[in-house]
Amino acid sequence: MMRPFSAILADAAALKGGDAILEERIGQVQPLSRDHLANLPDHRILAEMTRRIFSAGFSATVVAAKWSSFEAAFATFDPRACAALTDDRITGLAANPDIVRNRAKIAAIPVNAAFLLALAREHGSAARFVADRPESDLVGLLRLFKERGRHLGGDTGMRVLRAIGKPTFITTKDVVAALTREGVLTRPPSGARDLALVQRAFNHWSTETGRNFTEISRILAFSVPP
């Protein structure tokens, strides 16, 4: 049975050196306001999708070192330009030593660009759609990313949303450990049923505390001993 979130917060504060230090740590990662997120250019969403896809399975340091070349190679991730990439162009980019040469991940970029363009046609902009989606149905947004994008399932989709400023949980090892301790999960989430349990717990804790999903996720992680 889940404890009151105040007990989890107390555990995290004890581990991190007190309430003030904990709150400072929590505040280091804060989501954008709904209006600020809605005004984010869609090309920045595509850039973060790409960054997170390439960082999965590769060194984030390597990706960061090559990032200016990624921006140049993909027209600063303009969705229209990226959606128009041909197979020949993808093959050429896969031979470019200035970026990470993984053809399958490069081929995901035009698919994800087309996904964002479709959201823009349907909702005015992809950023507006993401901003307007309630936290109470975060798993629905994650499912949409997985089904309509490419390589955007699971942890990658969560990290993309966190990176662009959407309040989001990330099921890291420590977060899963905390959720297991609180009786929410019995195993790392592996499907829709498990994610629904996580969503229900976060909805409950958000209502209880008034905190957003990013804060709750980080507090859960901080409440697990190293």
mmCIF file of all heavy atoms in Angstrom, residues 8-9 11-16 21-29 174-175 178 181 215-226:
data_model
loop_
_atom_site.group_PDB
_atom_site.id
_atom_site.type_symbol
_atom_site.label_atom_id
_atom_site.label_comp_id
_atom_site.label_asym_id
_atom_site.label_seq_id
_atom_site.Cartn_x
_atom_site.Cartn_y
_atom_site.Cartn_z
ATOM 1 N N ILE A 8 7.592 9.732 1.784
ATOM 2 C CA ILE A 8 8.598 9.563 0.736
ATOM 3 C C ILE A 8 9.493 10.800 0.684
ATOM 4 O O ILE A 8 10.723 10.699 0.555
ATOM 5 C CB ILE A 8 7.920 9.321 -0.615
ATOM 6 C CG1 ILE A 8 7.048 8.068 -0.554
ATOM 7 C CG2 ILE A 8 8.948 9.207 -1.744
ATOM 8 C CD1 ILE A 8 6.163 7.856 -1.781
ATOM 9 N N LEU A 9 8.884 11.963 0.798
ATOM 10 C CA LEU A 9 9.644 13.221 0.799
ATOM 11 C C LEU A 9 10.618 13.251 1.976
ATOM 12 O O LEU A 9 11.773 13.678 1.830
ATOM 13 C CB LEU A 9 8.672 14.396 0.863
ATOM 14 C CG LEU A 9 9.252 15.794 0.680
ATOM 15 C CD1 LEU A 9 9.808 15.968 -0.721
ATOM 16 C CD2 LEU A 9 8.179 16.847 0.957
ATOM 17 N N ASP A 11 11.960 10.660 3.462
ATOM 18 C CA ASP A 11 13.052 9.728 3.157
ATOM 19 C C ASP A 11 14.084 10.400 2.253
ATOM 20 O O ASP A 11 15.299 10.276 2.462
ATOM 21 C CB ASP A 11 12.512 8.490 2.450
ATOM 22 C CG ASP A 11 11.751 7.554 3.382
ATOM 23 O OD1 ASP A 11 11.829 7.738 4.607
ATOM 24 O OD2 ASP A 11 11.075 6.644 2.865
ATOM 25 N N ALA A 12 13.587 11.088 1.213
ATOM 26 C CA ALA A 12 14.487 11.745 0.267
ATOM 27 C C ALA A 12 15.299 12.844 0.952
ATOM 28 O O ALA A 12 16.515 12.981 0.715
ATOM 29 C CB ALA A 12 13.695 12.317 -0.901
ATOM 30 N N ALA A 13 14.642 13.625 1.813
ATOM 31 C CA ALA A 13 15.347 14.702 2.516
ATOM 32 C C ALA A 13 16.431 14.138 3.426
ATOM 33 O O ALA A 13 17.541 14.690 3.515
ATOM 34 C CB ALA A 13 14.351 15.535 3.321
ATOM 35 N N ALA A 14 16.129 13.034 4.104
ATOM 36 C CA ALA A 14 17.123 12.424 4.994
ATOM 37 C C ALA A 14 18.343 11.947 4.220
ATOM 38 O O ALA A 14 19.481 12.064 4.690
ATOM 39 C CB ALA A 14 16.482 11.267 5.758
ATOM 40 N N LEU A 15 18.114 11.424 3.034
ATOM 41 C CA LEU A 15 19.225 10.919 2.222
ATOM 42 C C LEU A 15 20.046 12.035 1.582
ATOM 43 O O LEU A 15 21.248 11.857 1.328
ATOM 44 C CB LEU A 15 18.684 9.990 1.129
ATOM 45 C CG LEU A 15 18.222 8.604 1.589
ATOM 46 C CD1 LEU A 15 17.445 7.911 0.473
ATOM 47 C CD2 LEU A 15 19.425 7.758 2.001
ATOM 48 N N LYS A 16 19.416 13.161 1.302
ATOM 49 C CA LYS A 16 20.097 14.237 0.577
ATOM 50 C C LYS A 16 20.613 15.358 1.465
ATOM 51 O O LYS A 16 21.152 16.346 0.965
ATOM 52 C CB LYS A 16 19.158 14.807 -0.499
ATOM 53 C CG LYS A 16 18.783 13.787 -1.569
ATOM 54 C CD LYS A 16 20.001 13.188 -2.238
ATOM 55 C CE LYS A 16 19.631 12.084 -3.212
ATOM 56 N NZ LYS A 16 20.835 11.411 -3.752
ATOM 57 N N ILE A 21 18.334 21.299 1.000
ATOM 58 C CA ILE A 21 19.191 20.730 -0.043
ATOM 59 C C ILE A 21 18.356 19.928 -1.030
ATOM 60 O O ILE A 21 18.563 19.994 -2.250
ATOM 61 C CB ILE A 21 20.297 19.853 0.580
ATOM 62 C CG1 ILE A 21 21.239 20.728 1.409
ATOM 63 C CG2 ILE A 21 21.078 19.108 -0.504
ATOM 64 C CD1 ILE A 21 22.283 19.955 2.180
ATOM 65 N N LEU A 22 17.390 19.172 -0.500
ATOM 66 C CA LEU A 22 16.521 18.396 -1.389
ATOM 67 C C LEU A 22 15.761 19.308 -2.340
ATOM 68 O O LEU A 22 15.720 19.052 -3.555
ATOM 69 C CB LEU A 22 15.533 17.562 -0.570
ATOM 70 C CG LEU A 22 14.482 16.795 -1.392
ATOM 71 C CD1 LEU A 22 15.141 15.755 -2.299
ATOM 72 C CD2 LEU A 22 13.453 16.137 -0.475
ATOM 73 N N GLU A 23 15.163 20.367 -1.817
ATOM 74 C CA GLU A 23 14.390 21.264 -2.680
ATOM 75 C C GLU A 23 15.277 21.936 -3.717
ATOM 76 O O GLU A 23 14.849 22.158 -4.863
ATOM 77 C CB GLU A 23 13.653 22.313 -1.844
ATOM 78 C CG GLU A 23 12.532 21.765 -0.975
ATOM 79 C CD GLU A 23 11.398 21.130 -1.769
ATOM 80 O OE1 GLU A 23 11.222 21.459 -2.966
ATOM 81 O OE2 GLU A 23 10.679 20.293 -1.192
ATOM 82 N N GLU A 24 16.520 22.219 -3.339
ATOM 83 C CA GLU A 24 17.458 22.784 -4.322
ATOM 84 C C GLU A 24 17.734 21.778 -5.432
ATOM 85 O O GLU A 24 17.761 22.131 -6.616
ATOM 86 C CB GLU A 24 18.762 23.170 -3.631
ATOM 87 C CG GLU A 24 19.785 23.797 -4.571
ATOM 88 C CD GLU A 24 21.069 24.170 -3.862
ATOM 89 O OE1 GLU A 24 21.144 24.029 -2.633
ATOM 90 O OE2 GLU A 24 22.021 24.595 -4.559
ATOM 91 N N ARG A 25 17.909 20.513 -5.074
ATOM 92 C CA ARG A 25 18.140 19.467 -6.070
ATOM 93 C C ARG A 25 16.925 19.290 -6.970
ATOM 94 O O ARG A 25 17.051 19.139 -8.195
ATOM 95 C CB ARG A 25 18.475 18.143 -5.370
ATOM 96 C CG ARG A 25 19.779 18.112 -4.607
ATOM 97 C CD ARG A 25 20.985 17.992 -5.524
ATOM 98 N NE ARG A 25 20.987 16.761 -6.294
ATOM 99 C CZ ARG A 25 21.481 15.604 -5.873
ATOM 100 N NH1 ARG A 25 22.024 15.522 -4.657
ATOM 101 N NH2 ARG A 25 21.459 14.543 -6.653
ATOM 102 N N ILE A 26 15.747 19.303 -6.379
ATOM 103 C CA ILE A 26 14.518 19.157 -7.167
ATOM 104 C C ILE A 26 14.397 20.301 -8.164
ATOM 105 O O ILE A 26 14.042 20.110 -9.334
ATOM 106 C CB ILE A 26 13.283 19.129 -6.242
ATOM 107 C CG1 ILE A 26 13.295 17.879 -5.355
ATOM 108 C CG2 ILE A 26 11.985 19.169 -7.066
ATOM 109 C CD1 ILE A 26 12.292 17.934 -4.221
ATOM 110 N N GLY A 27 14.723 21.499 -7.721
ATOM 111 C CA GLY A 27 14.566 22.682 -8.561
ATOM 112 C C GLY A 27 15.543 22.775 -9.709
ATOM 113 O O GLY A 27 15.374 23.618 -10.602
ATOM 114 N N GLN A 28 16.562 21.915 -9.723
ATOM 115 C CA GLN A 28 17.533 21.954 -10.812
ATOM 116 C C GLN A 28 16.943 21.495 -12.136
ATOM 117 O O GLN A 28 17.490 21.806 -13.203
ATOM 118 C CB GLN A 28 18.746 21.097 -10.444
ATOM 119 C CG GLN A 28 19.606 21.707 -9.347
ATOM 120 C CD GLN A 28 20.689 20.764 -8.852
ATOM 121 O OE1 GLN A 28 20.777 19.612 -9.272
ATOM 122 N NE2 GLN A 28 21.528 21.246 -7.947
ATOM 123 N N VAL A 29 15.850 20.758 -12.094
ATOM 124 C CA VAL A 29 15.163 20.316 -13.319
ATOM 125 C C VAL A 29 13.687 20.661 -13.162
ATOM 126 O O VAL A 29 12.980 20.026 -12.376
ATOM 127 C CB VAL A 29 15.319 18.801 -13.554
ATOM 128 C CG1 VAL A 29 14.575 18.390 -14.826
ATOM 129 C CG2 VAL A 29 16.782 18.408 -13.633
ATOM 130 N N ASP A 174 16.128 3.779 -10.179
ATOM 131 C CA ASP A 174 15.775 4.246 -8.843
ATOM 132 C C ASP A 174 14.285 4.535 -8.713
ATOM 133 O O ASP A 174 13.685 4.255 -7.665
ATOM 134 C CB ASP A 174 16.584 5.496 -8.486
ATOM 135 C CG ASP A 174 18.030 5.172 -8.124
ATOM 136 O OD1 ASP A 174 18.333 3.985 -7.904
ATOM 137 O OD2 ASP A 174 18.845 6.107 -8.074
ATOM 138 N N VAL A 175 13.688 5.110 -9.747
ATOM 139 C CA VAL A 175 12.247 5.373 -9.693
ATOM 140 C C VAL A 175 11.480 4.061 -9.611
ATOM 141 O O VAL A 175 10.517 3.931 -8.827
ATOM 142 C CB VAL A 175 11.799 6.217 -10.908
ATOM 143 C CG1 VAL A 175 10.273 6.287 -10.992
ATOM 144 C CG2 VAL A 175 12.381 7.623 -10.813
ATOM 145 N N ALA A 178 11.693 2.720 -6.126
ATOM 146 C CA ALA A 178 10.786 3.415 -5.218
ATOM 147 C C ALA A 178 9.338 2.988 -5.442
ATOM 148 O O ALA A 178 8.587 2.776 -4.483
ATOM 149 C CB ALA A 178 10.933 4.925 -5.395
ATOM 150 N N ARG A 181 8.906 -0.380 -3.922
ATOM 151 C CA ARG A 181 8.851 -0.244 -2.456
ATOM 152 C C ARG A 181 7.476 0.225 -1.982
ATOM 153 O O ARG A 181 6.966 -0.227 -0.958
ATOM 154 C CB ARG A 181 9.922 0.765 -2.015
ATOM 155 C CG ARG A 181 10.032 0.985 -0.510
ATOM 156 C CD ARG A 181 10.849 2.236 -0.241
ATOM 157 N NE ARG A 181 10.197 3.429 -0.771
ATOM 158 C CZ ARG A 181 10.843 4.493 -1.242
ATOM 159 N NH1 ARG A 181 12.168 4.507 -1.288
ATOM 160 N NH2 ARG A 181 10.166 5.541 -1.684
ATOM 161 N N GLU A 215 8.830 16.692 -10.676
ATOM 162 C CA GLU A 215 9.249 16.780 -9.280
ATOM 163 C C GLU A 215 9.012 15.471 -8.549
ATOM 164 O O GLU A 215 9.892 14.983 -7.816
ATOM 165 C CB GLU A 215 8.479 17.904 -8.586
ATOM 166 C CG GLU A 215 8.832 19.296 -9.063
ATOM 167 C CD GLU A 215 7.978 20.366 -8.421
ATOM 168 O OE1 GLU A 215 6.785 20.106 -8.136
ATOM 169 O OE2 GLU A 215 8.501 21.464 -8.188
ATOM 170 N N ILE A 216 7.838 14.882 -8.736
ATOM 171 C CA ILE A 216 7.520 13.625 -8.051
ATOM 172 C C ILE A 216 8.479 12.527 -8.464
ATOM 173 O O ILE A 216 8.975 11.757 -7.631
ATOM 174 C CB ILE A 216 6.056 13.223 -8.343
ATOM 175 C CG1 ILE A 216 5.100 14.223 -7.690
ATOM 176 C CG2 ILE A 216 5.760 11.807 -7.840
ATOM 177 C CD1 ILE A 216 3.645 14.064 -8.122
ATOM 178 N N SER A 217 8.775 12.457 -9.748
ATOM 179 C CA SER A 217 9.697 11.449 -10.257
ATOM 180 C C SER A 217 11.074 11.605 -9.632
ATOM 181 O O SER A 217 11.709 10.621 -9.204
ATOM 182 C CB SER A 217 9.778 11.551 -11.783
ATOM 183 O OG SER A 217 10.588 10.545 -12.340
ATOM 184 N N ARG A 218 11.560 12.819 -9.538
ATOM 185 C CA ARG A 218 12.887 13.067 -8.977
ATOM 186 C C ARG A 218 12.903 12.782 -7.475
ATOM 187 O O ARG A 218 13.890 12.241 -6.947
ATOM 188 C CB ARG A 218 13.329 14.495 -9.290
ATOM 189 C CG ARG A 218 13.712 14.667 -10.755
ATOM 190 C CD ARG A 218 13.974 16.112 -11.140
ATOM 191 N NE ARG A 218 15.038 16.733 -10.400
ATOM 192 C CZ ARG A 218 16.339 16.512 -10.599
ATOM 193 N NH1 ARG A 218 16.730 15.644 -11.521
ATOM 194 N NH2 ARG A 218 17.250 17.155 -9.887
ATOM 195 N N ILE A 219 11.847 13.120 -6.777
ATOM 196 C CA ILE A 219 11.784 12.844 -5.340
ATOM 197 C C ILE A 219 11.793 11.328 -5.105
ATOM 198 O O ILE A 219 12.484 10.831 -4.201
ATOM 199 C CB ILE A 219 10.531 13.489 -4.708
ATOM 200 C CG1 ILE A 219 10.665 15.018 -4.716
ATOM 201 C CG2 ILE A 219 10.323 12.979 -3.279
ATOM 202 C CD1 ILE A 219 9.372 15.758 -4.433
ATOM 203 N N LEU A 220 11.047 10.588 -5.902
ATOM 204 C CA LEU A 220 11.076 9.128 -5.784
ATOM 205 C C LEU A 220 12.496 8.597 -5.958
ATOM 206 O O LEU A 220 12.971 7.755 -5.193
ATOM 207 C CB LEU A 220 10.153 8.499 -6.821
ATOM 208 C CG LEU A 220 8.647 8.618 -6.576
ATOM 209 C CD1 LEU A 220 7.871 8.170 -7.802
ATOM 210 C CD2 LEU A 220 8.214 7.790 -5.354
ATOM 211 N N ALA A 221 13.183 9.098 -6.976
ATOM 212 C CA ALA A 221 14.568 8.648 -7.213
ATOM 213 C C ALA A 221 15.475 9.013 -6.037
ATOM 214 O O ALA A 221 16.314 8.209 -5.608
ATOM 215 C CB ALA A 221 15.091 9.256 -8.507
ATOM 216 N N PHE A 222 15.292 10.212 -5.521
ATOM 217 C CA PHE A 222 16.137 10.666 -4.397
ATOM 218 C C PHE A 222 15.852 9.889 -3.113
ATOM 219 O O PHE A 222 16.678 9.904 -2.194
ATOM 220 C CB PHE A 222 15.919 12.155 -4.135
ATOM 221 C CG PHE A 222 16.469 13.063 -5.202
ATOM 222 C CD1 PHE A 222 15.846 14.280 -5.470
ATOM 223 C CD2 PHE A 222 17.595 12.732 -5.931
ATOM 224 C CE1 PHE A 222 16.333 15.142 -6.443
ATOM 225 C CE2 PHE A 222 18.101 13.570 -6.918
ATOM 226 C CZ PHE A 222 17.468 14.790 -7.163
ATOM 227 N N SER A 223 14.689 9.242 -3.034
ATOM 228 C CA SER A 223 14.318 8.521 -1.808
ATOM 229 C C SER A 223 14.920 7.118 -1.734
ATOM 230 O O SER A 223 14.723 6.408 -0.746
ATOM 231 C CB SER A 223 12.785 8.423 -1.703
ATOM 232 O OG SER A 223 12.255 7.464 -2.613
ATOM 233 N N VAL A 224 15.658 6.718 -2.767
ATOM 234 C CA VAL A 224 16.273 5.392 -2.813
ATOM 235 C C VAL A 224 17.735 5.503 -2.397
ATOM 236 O O VAL A 224 18.495 6.277 -3.005
ATOM 237 C CB VAL A 224 16.143 4.793 -4.229
ATOM 238 C CG1 VAL A 224 16.889 3.466 -4.331
ATOM 239 C CG2 VAL A 224 14.669 4.604 -4.588
ATOM 240 N N PRO A 225 18.157 4.748 -1.405
ATOM 241 C CA PRO A 225 19.571 4.818 -0.993
ATOM 242 C C PRO A 225 20.510 4.430 -2.120
ATOM 243 O O PRO A 225 20.191 3.560 -2.943
ATOM 244 C CB PRO A 225 19.649 3.795 0.144
ATOM 245 C CG PRO A 225 18.237 3.651 0.646
ATOM 246 C CD PRO A 225 17.365 3.828 -0.568
ATOM 247 N N PRO A 226 21.696 5.057 -2.173
ATOM 248 C CA PRO A 226 22.667 4.725 -3.231
ATOM 249 C C PRO A 226 23.227 3.312 -3.041
ATOM 250 O O PRO A 226 23.172 2.765 -1.973
ATOM 251 C CB PRO A 226 23.750 5.797 -3.060
ATOM 252 C CG PRO A 226 23.620 6.262 -1.645
ATOM 253 C CD PRO A 226 22.171 6.136 -1.296
#
